[in-house]
Amino acid sequence: MSAAFDTAPPNTHAGGDDDALRTNGTVPMNDTISHNLDDARVDMDAYARDVPLWKRVHQHSLTQMMLISVQAFCGPAMSDAIAGLGGGGLATPQTSNTAMALLYTMLATVCFLGGPLVNKIGVKWALVIGAMSFPIEGSSYYCNSKYGNQWYLILGGALSGIGTGCWYVAEAGAIMSIAPSGARGKYLAFWIVSRNLGQLVGGAINLSKNYLKDVEGGVTTDTYLAFVIIECLALPFAFLITPLEKVVRSDGTRILVSETLSTKMELKQISRTMTSSLIMLSSIWALWSFFYSGTWSTYLATYFSVRARALSSLISPFFCIVGCFGLGFILDMKHVSQRRRAQIGLFTVIILNAGVYIWSIIMQVRFKTNDPGSIDWDSGLYPTAFLPYFFVQTTGPLSQSYMYWLLSSFATDAQANVRNGAAFRCLEAVGQAIAYGMNTKTTTSPLVGMCVSFALMAAALGPMIVLVNRTPDHIPADVILAEHEKGIDSASIKGPEPSTVPLDGDRKV
């Protein structure tokens, strides 16, 4: 294994031979982005002098990441909070698991086709469409809680999957493109933490409504109204997103955006992306990375009281903040090569997850032998039974943050990030659909899902070692920019100076 890591890194030149660094199709990579290179770096002195402060703040990469993170807080985080209630807070989790399985099935379908869609309509409008669908899930649980109807819960899962799929593809492309190359780990940590802070707020709402002991059945109806209100807040923040080509990073660079392809060419890119070595090698990791969600939510619903679930969903995100930013600092270490950082990050994530899985399996085996009943927070068994759930809410997000950092390490332009993000999200959703589908079976113990999660992680390790060994020393998009700037410097000795970047943020064509 160590020998594999010590082999020479691949060619990091933008036109190199390594297929993980190429568009993997007939579209010439350099031709598709060359028109955008003249606008790739901003004259920051002129930019600060000629552009109003409010516009500079709005176009700044950190502001845009914050806007996306707020949407993640309002949408996916609230969905996680509902799942964190254990079956949506229902007396039994089967109905909720059915709705969630359908949601992720539809999400996977939309993500599969999402690359062409988002690249045609743009990241901003894809985020707007997705944000409009967020309140559907919360309202379906509200109607189920208040009126007892099941059909809207199932329909809501399907509709949410369609809208959220569109949003997920746009989000993945944006978060992998926006960050400056030297701060990707911390930017991604900020995004992951925002999602988990949403679960913290959801847990606080749930606990405030369900703190009395011996409460049976689902959570109060008012809890779901609070979730719906928060989910509605994502839409105005989606309208504030700046198109990727207008974003200015903190290091003065812009995002490389290639020419818009025809619909036919975009559809052809689906198969090329899905069969690229980058996606093939990360596919098992994608299936595994969110698999824990359905299994450990069912674990929580099966063995814990309503108020214990509420407390669990409140305190679970705290350690995630420390863990994600800790991994972010590792991935952003300035004096360590990108390939070595990828290696360290991989084994950090694997070792932490393995420890949590072993602990969880031990607890589950004990519960199968001696049924603990409904564990409350004043039970002596609560700490040891809850801690596996607590830690998996950190180790799970770490695996996602790491993978998006790794995918962005191979980026050639923003459209490639969208396509790669869509493919990875599609496989993630398939894993989640399988996990929730498994847990719709009343006879299925959480032990089965835990063992499957462990097996998937083990199966993912080999291909991931191969992929990490291909990690380029520099992001290909940065190499393209550096080579272009070097060419400009040489040309300026013989000819006139190149045109400056338009200060209004519009790119040249």
Side-chain angles (χ1 to χ4, degrees), residues 19-32:
D19 63 349
L21 304 180
R22 298 183 66 83
T23 308
N24 214 17
T26 58
V27 181
M29 182 164 55
N30 290 337
D31 290 345
T32 58

Side-chain angles (χ1 to χ4, degrees), residues 259-278:
E259 293 176 346
T260 302
L261 301 179
S262 67
T263 301
K264 182 178 179 180
M265 286 298 298
E266 281 286 359
L267 290 173
K268 286 183 178 180
Q269 289 294 326
I270 294 177
S271 61
R272 292 171 182 148
T273 300
M274 295 298 293
T275 57
S276 67
S277 60
L278 181 61

